[in-house]
Each structure stands twice: as structure tokens, then as C-alpha cells.
Amino acid sequence: MSTQTCLDVKQQSAQERRLLGLSAFDRHQWLMKDAIKYYRAQLPPEQQTVKTDFDVLKEQYRFVRSEEDDTSDSWEVRMARRYYAKLFKEYAIADLSRYKESKVGLRWRTEQEVVVGKGQFACGAKSCDERRALASYEVNFAYKEAGEHKQALVKLRLCPRHALQLNHKQNHRLIKKRKREQQDAQHRLGKQPRHSKNTEATTGFADSFETNTSGRGHTQEPDAAQAGNAYDMASGRSKHQREVFDGLFD
């Protein structure tokens, strides 16, 4: 037996073992693909695209099912209804990977996630297991499904880092507003007389003095930290709120 013949036999046996390891449907798909590739076989139009159970479930799944969604009694609707009944809809799991685009993906929890506490006792972000300092949020989730625009109120439990991502757009506006107010406050402070008593009364901190060799004192301009303290006192922000917003610049 020649070397080429031995190689052909080995390749054929490997292909047979691969086919035997497949299910009946996967084996059929494999053989049909080879038939189209090597023998130019033409399948009927209705058989050119075969839908799996997962494809049918994606078509029939609804984030919030209504009576109109269950009017049909086809097997596709029944399968989607059974899957929907197995989900736990008290808290949701969030995909915040595109939070900078103001796009958030939400889904309900599975039984396994409920058992381990994911989304309730652990952060509801998809890839986060933080269990400390969680907070609850009720989100007005607007989404498009089956060609229709829908809305639903959804509860989320998130850690501080992912809570900032969830409210990224609102926080960004507040940060810009805070920067403008700080700049305006510093600008107003720069226009006031150096030894004005109003400066101390309104800003909450006194001008600091340094003595030079000639014995005369000179004022020291307030730094950014002092201006931030003045803003917090004027606006009534707590120290914790300021630390959260300052963390966005780290």
C-alpha cells in the first residue's frame, strides 16, 4: 500500500469518527454543506436556512410578555412562554459595556443567579461580583422589541462604580455644571478686595498671610481645594457626595 493511500485511509477514518460524534441534525448539516460545496447541490428555498430552537426563542422572546403575545398557541409561542415563566423578574442583570453611548442592556435573572444572589446581594452588573455598598435603583427602561418601542420599570442593585456608569449622562452634566460654578466662584473671589471681610464671611475660609523679610504681609490666592470647600458649603453638598464626583476624574 502506498503512502498516499495510507494517508487517505487515515483522513477517511478521522472524518467518520467526527461524524459519529455529532448529533443526527448536526451530521445532516455537515453532509449538506459538503454536498453544496463539492457537488453543487441546490436545496429548496425553504430548506436553505434552518432555524434552531434558539433562533425561534430569540424571535418569540419578550422582555415583558402581555396577553397579546400569548394569543397564538403555536409551539414557538409555547416554548417562549415556558422559558419566560422560568425567569425571576424582581431584579434585573445589566450590561453596561456601552454606558458611554447611553446604551444599557437588561435581562431577567435565571434560577442559578437567584440561588447565588447575583443581582440582589451581589452587584447586578454582568461582570461584577461586588457585595459591598450596594444601592437599589428603579430604571425606566426604554427599548425596541418586535418593531415596537416599549417601556418598563426595572429594579437594579448596583455597586457605586457601576451606579456611576448607569447615570453617566446625568453625572457628566452635573460635573460640567460644577466646573462652571467653581470657575465662577474663583473668578468672583479674584475680583474682591484682598482684605475684604466679605470674602471670609461668604467663602468660609480666611486669607492666609506669610511674613517676608521686610515685615509686610501678602495675601495667598485660594487653591482649588479651598474653592471646592467653598462650593460645597454654598451648595450644601456633603463630603461623601463630593468624593464620589471627584472620583470621576481619577
Side-chain angles (χ1 to χ4, degrees):
M1 183 179 295
S2 64
T3 305
Q4 184 64 33
T5 306
C6 292
L7 292 175
D8 293 340
V9 172
K10 289 182 179 180
Q11 291 178 356
Q12 183 178 0
S13 61
Q15 185 177 9
E16 291 177 353
R17 288 196 300 271
R18 186 181 302 174
L19 288 173
L20 291 175
L22 300 175
S23 64
F25 179 76
D26 292 336
R27 188 162 53 250
H28 171 75
Q29 293 289 90
W30 179 286
L31 294 174
M32 289 298 99
K33 185 173 65 175
D34 286 348
I36 295 173
K37 181 177 179 179
Y38 297 109
Y39 303 104
R40 306 295 180 182
Q42 296 295 325
L43 296 176
E46 63 274 8
Q47 295 183 6
Q48 289 181 3
T49 56
V50 180
K51 290 184 179 180
T52 63
D53 289 349
F54 183 69
D55 296 330
V56 173
L57 185 59
K58 287 196 298 183
E59 290 181 358
Q60 299 296 329
Y61 175 77
R62 300 291 182 268
F63 187 72
V64 177
R65 297 194 70 86
S66 62
E67 295 181 357
E68 297 178 356
D69 298 324
D70 297 334
T71 53
S72 176
D73 197 34
S74 62
W75 69 270
E76 294 94 341
V77 174
R78 291 199 303 271
M79 181 176 64
R81 190 165 56 238
R82 286 197 300 270
Y83 177 78
Y84 183 79
K86 294 179 180 179
L87 299 176
F88 293 80
K89 295 171 278 293
E90 182 179 4
Y91 295 100
I93 302 297
D95 182 358
L96 298 167
S97 58
R98 300 176 64 181
Y99 73 94
K100 291 185 178 180
E101 305 174 26
S102 298
K103 294 182 179 180
V104 179
L106 297 179
R107 64 169 177 82
W108 300 120
R109 297 186 298 167
T110 63
E111 182 178 0
Q112 182 62 30
E113 289 171 334
V114 173
V115 171
V116 300
K118 177 66 175 174
Q120 183 177 5
F121 303 106
C123 179
K126 186 175 66 172
S127 57
C128 181
D129 295 324
E130 180 62 55
R131 292 179 175 268
R132 296 171 298 176
L134 300 182
S136 298
Y137 299 88
E138 192 171 48
V139 181
N140 184 17
F141 182 45
Y143 60 100
K144 186 177 181 180
E145 186 178 65
E148 299 180 6
H149 292 277
K150 301 179 180 180
Q151 289 184 347
L153 288 177
V154 182
K155 289 183 180 179
L156 288 173
R157 294 271 292 168
L158 297 174
C159 65
R161 180 168 70 93
H162 287 101
L164 289 175
Q165 293 181 0
L166 178 67
N167 300 288
H168 173 74
K169 190 173 182 179
Q170 294 85 344
N171 291 336
H172 188 66
R173 287 200 298 262
L174 289 175
I175 291 169
K176 292 177 65 177
K177 180 180 179 182
R178 179 189 173 188
K179 281 185 175 180
R180 288 195 301 268
E181 292 176 350
Q182 285 182 339
Q183 292 173 357
D184 293 341
Q186 291 178 351
H187 184 66
R188 289 194 299 270
L189 289 174
K191 288 185 175 181
Q192 293 180 356
R194 291 187 174 185
H195 300 287
S196 174
K197 295 182 180 180
N198 294 331
T199 303
E200 181 178 354
T202 56
T203 61
F205 58 89
D207 295 335
S208 59
F209 290 84
E210 294 181 359
T211 304
N212 54 20
T213 55
S214 63
R216 290 178 299 176
H218 68 276
T219 58
Q220 186 179 31
E221 294 295 332
D223 57 11
Q226 290 174 325
N229 292 332
Y231 171 79
D232 292 338
M233 295 178 65
S235 61
R237 289 190 187 278
S238 66
K239 181 179 179 182
H240 175 69
Q241 289 175 325
R242 182 184 175 189
E243 291 176 351
V244 170
F245 280 95
D246 288 343
L248 296 175
F249 301 99
D250 296 339

